[in-house]
DNA sequence: GGATGAACAATCTGTTCATGG
DNA sequence: CCATGAACAGATTGTTCATCC
């Protein structure tokens, strides 16, 4: 058993939730996470977001489509990659989230214990 | 800023507290931590304990003395390494613990937030 | 600046090996 | 088995570079 939850798993958890909510593409999700954790002084590195996305694709949870960001190609040629659940991806994701939940609880327990054990 | 607290820091925290309480040597502290976290399925690896101890010595927090485990050399020749605070080690340790406390709080906050954000 | 991807280097961690009583 | 230490291999991570619009 590992010590703490890995950053990778933590990010995957958020990515899955964001895809559930149809927030689509990498860069946007990166900015979203940065904003959420700004007050914690944590800024997920860009590379980790993409690695996590690639892994989820590789694991058969997501598949990718490409589209232009703007609806009118004349206006914006920026191509973005959108992620969607595969047929059994939703089920896989559900299971994954369940496992992560267990791990989150375990980590919170250990950290709380450490505070109790080491500070008055 | 790193994502989560490092295992190294977590272990150092416990080592400092244990030395404060005059629980002396590496192997014993290892067993102690294993026992404490057994229910969490976490078993700190032996190498990490020693690395953490070496670092604390290197950082000038601890110094080492050697002694035989049994008081009677005829009974037990097992040599053990005892750790003590250096002159300014106590102060350094206090500061270190303070920093770790901040980090523990931060981590608990992030993990709790993750549960709130990703589960119902 | 927005968006994606890959390469690279550093760090951290887990397992194994080595030594001795 | 108790006790310490080091070596080694692998995984994770952070920074940087590359590319395109």
């Amino acid at each position: 058993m590992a010590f703490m939850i890995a950053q990778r798993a933590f990010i995957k958890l958020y990515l899955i939730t964001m895809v559930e909510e149809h927030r689509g593409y990498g860069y946007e999700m990166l900015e979203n996470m940065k904003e959420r954790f700004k007050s914690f002084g944590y800024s997920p590195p860009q590379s980790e977001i993409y690695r996590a996305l690639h892994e989820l694709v590789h694991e058969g949870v997501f598949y990718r489509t490409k589209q232009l960001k703007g609806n009118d190609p004349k206006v914006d040629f920026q191509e973005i990659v959108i992620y969607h659940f595969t047929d059994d991806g939703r089920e896989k994701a559900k299971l994954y989230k369940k496992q992560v939940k267990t791990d989150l609880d375990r980590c919170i327990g250990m950290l709380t214990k450490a505070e109790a054990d080491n500070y008055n």
Side-chain angles (χ1 to χ4, degrees), chain A residues 8-111:
Chain A
R8 189 80 44 90
F10 190 85
I11 290 175
K12 279 181 177 178
L13 174 63
Y14 271 89
L15 295 177
I16 287 171
T17 299
M18 286 191 267
V19 169
E20 278 172 1
E21 295 164 356
H22 302 94
R23 324 274 202 95
Y25 63 102
Y27 192 90
E28 203 183 22
M29 296 194 272
L30 170 64
E31 293 302 317
N32 187 296
M33 282 200 73
K34 278 188 183 173
E35 184 55 34
R36 281 173 192 262
F37 291 101
K38 203 173 180 179
S39 63
F40 291 94
Y42 167 59
S43 183
Q46 169 255 20
S47 54
E48 275 299 313
I49 300 280
Y50 287 111
R51 271 193 286 245
L53 283 169
H54 298 341
E55 278 190 15
L56 285 166
V57 170
H58 192 255
E59 290 159 9
V61 178
F62 293 159
Y63 71 93
R64 305 156 36 117
T65 59
K66 295 190 177 183
Q67 66 176 61
L68 295 177
K69 190 179 176 185
N71 289 329
D72 184 354
K74 288 169 195 153
V75 173
D76 193 337
F77 286 93
Q78 179 75 60
E79 201 179 27
I80 58 178
V81 178
I82 311 283
Y83 294 86
H84 320 264
F85 285 109
T86 60
D87 282 345
D88 50 345
R90 223 172 268 283
E91 196 55 34
K92 283 182 183 172
K94 197 178 161 189
L95 185 66
Y96 185 74
K97 282 179 87 162
K98 200 172 177 180
Q99 292 166 347
V100 172
K101 175 70 161 63
T102 305
D103 206 29
L104 287 171
D105 286 337
R106 189 189 126 261
C107 291
I108 291 172
M110 282 179 59
L111 297 173

